Amino acid sequence: EIGAGLPGPGSTLPSEASLGARFDTSRVTVRKALELLREEGLVSSRQGAGWFVSTDPLPQNLTRLGTIEEQLVASDRSSDREILDFAFTTAPTWVSTHLNTADVLEVRRRNMADGVAFARVTVWCPARLGQHLTRAQVEAAPFYEVLDIELAGATQTIAAAAAGDDDAGVLGVPVGSPVLRCTRITSDADGNAVLVAEHVFPGHLTEFVVDLPHIGAIDPAGLRLVEGDG
């Protein structure tokens, strides 16, 4: 099945217990079979993530403001997006604090890479800026392309997390498996926050890359130490 492309690269395999039930064999035998497939380079495993079809993680560069689609195209990966929710609603408190309004357009989507769930993305936009947008528009193109405003840049925070029930279902990974959670605050030319986005990536599918300058040069773009609450 893997050789035939089903499931595709990066796809999470059924649990060892499920495979044992399907093929009417013991979990020990299933584990040995998976180990043999790993030796052949067909599957990989990570603590907490289970087994998945081998794939090279997509490197995402942090030194410029870009979209998931741009990163995928640059890596010769196919890119698709599926809108899961589109609604004018009240923003969560932490989002309204950044946008200075609670009235927002909230769009929740799933990004696919080569047919595999690559990210769950939720974007909040002030209702006054998103009032003319349609579901079809945000499914066809990123907010950066459909908003008629000049963007100045963004601040992005990346942290390790564990997949909750909702994200596990959207991304096709086990509950509790490692994910990267990225929060991005995008500002306009006047320095006002106009977009808040939360990206959640399965931990085995991507990695973030920062170019570090030589000692004595300026600080690397896109990298700074943020002190948390503990």
Side-chain angles (χ1 to χ4, degrees):
E1 290 177 0
I2 293 174
L6 295 172
S11 297
T12 302
L13 298 178
S15 67
E16 294 176 10
S18 296
L19 290 172
R22 175 182 174 186
F23 295 106
D24 192 23
T25 189
S26 70
R27 188 167 181 172
V28 172
T29 300
V30 170
R31 175 61 66 87
K32 289 181 178 178
L34 290 170
E35 293 288 355
L36 288 173
L37 291 175
R38 177 158 58 186
E39 290 177 9
E40 295 179 16
L42 295 176
V43 301
S44 301
S45 66
R46 288 190 182 180
Q47 183 67 33
W51 294 86
F52 52 90
V53 182
S54 293
T55 186
D56 293 327
L58 173 71
Q60 298 194 57
N61 198 306
L62 293 179
T63 57
R64 61 180 297 273
L65 182 62
T67 65
I68 292 176
E69 288 79 7
E70 289 174 342
Q71 301 277 9
L72 290 172
V73 170
S75 298
D76 294 324
R77 308 277 186 95
S78 68
S79 174
D80 295 290
R81 53 171 52 207
E82 175 188 2
I83 300 300
L84 304 175
D85 297 294
F86 178 98
F88 287 90
T89 185
T90 301
T93 301
W94 71 274
V95 173
S96 61
T97 299
H98 287 292
L99 295 178
N100 200 30
T101 179
D103 298 322
V104 297
L105 168 61
E106 178 181 299
V107 177
R108 183 169 167 264
R109 73 174 190 263
R110 170 167 46 203
N111 279 74
M112 311 291 288
D114 294 335
V116 175
F118 181 70
R120 185 275 292 167
V121 182
T122 303
V123 181
W124 294 270
C125 170
R128 60 181 176 81
L129 295 178
Q131 59 183 331
H132 301 301
L133 298 180
T134 66
R135 186 186 184 105
Q137 284 178 301
V138 297
E139 187 165 37
F143 268 86
Y144 288 172
E145 297 179 11
V146 297
L147 283 183
D148 188 23
I149 56 176
E150 181 182 354
L151 301 177
T155 299
Q156 183 160 291
T157 303
I158 304 170
D165 290 342
D166 288 344
D167 282 334
V170 170
L171 298 173
V173 298
V175 174
S177 61
V179 295
L180 290 173
R181 176 170 284 110
C182 307
T183 303
R184 177 182 289 188
I185 315 297
T186 303
S187 301
D188 63 14
D190 295 323
N192 300 310
V194 292
L195 291 174
V196 174
E198 182 182 62
H199 300 66
V200 176
F201 302 91
H204 65 284
L205 290 183
T206 193
E207 58 190 12
F208 290 90
V209 180
V210 177
D211 294 324
L212 300 176
H214 188 271
I215 296 175
I218 61 173
D219 291 337
L223 180 65
R224 65 187 177 93
L225 179 64
V226 178
E227 295 184 3
D229 296 329

